[in-house]
Amino acid sequence: MAINNMHGADMRSMSTAKSLLASALGGVVILSGIGAQSAVAAPTPKPRVVAASLDGAEMRFFDLAQLIGQSCAPRVPHKALDSVASASVDPVPLNASESCAAQRHQLRITNAFKGTGLTTYAEMQAKLAGRHYPGARTHRMPDRFGKPVARVDLRLGAERLAVEISGFGQSVMVRAFGVPDGVHVTAVRLKPELDRPMS
């Protein structure tokens, strides 16, 4: 009787061992299957991955920036500027494409504010949002001459472009500058304007 019980116990442990082995092998097969699938799957284009994670306002800005960026693509090769981040928070130079995009953004923003006579930051932010510059990219700066000042972070990918918008008279002044990698747009030191701009 003891032998039968022992034999039964051995059979149960062998059965359990087989189950565990089958589970383990099954897990390996499943993991291998996943690995194999991801190894042969075609990579998803990067812009689509980025676009899928954006909210509505950011998506509209993304489309606008892509459009401006494509129109400013250099037609001749140019030497790439040093991409090493600046140790300070001084502005960095813009490359040819960024300078071109800066001019387009400056024109769009200036035209949007003509004849508005801004008095508050909220008005400025609302007007920018209406031109597809999301609130999440717009940052308040200290007022200048009693008028609101904002900075808009226009960086996408490795780009460095940002603009500072100062309200004055019945319009705005828009200054473009380069932001060092890893630095917040509000931390860049810009030289102050010597005189109050005329409207």
Side-chain angles (χ1 to χ4, degrees), residues 175-190:
R175 299 170 68 189
F177 60 97
V179 184
D181 186 38
V183 173
H184 195 275
V185 70
T186 59
V188 178
R189 286 189 301 257
L190 295 180

Side-chain angles (χ1 to χ4, degrees), residues 14 16 20 47-48 50 60 63 81 88 98 108 136 146 148 157 171 188:
M14 282 178 60
T16 304
L20 291 172
R48 291 181 187 221
V50 172
R60 286 188 292 277
D63 289 341
L81 294 172
S88 70
E98 291 165 337
R108 288 184 86 252
S171 188
V188 178

Side-chain angles (χ1 to χ4, degrees), residues 81-119:
L81 294 172
D82 185 13
S83 61
V84 178
S86 170
S88 70
V89 286
D90 290 329
V92 294
L94 299 174
N95 63 30
S97 296
E98 291 165 337
S99 295
C100 171
Q103 291 172 5
R104 310 248 171 136
H105 284 293
Q106 286 171 310
L107 184 61
R108 288 184 86 252
I109 293 168
T110 301
N111 287 340
F113 283 93
K114 273 185 183 171
T116 58
L118 286 174
T119 56

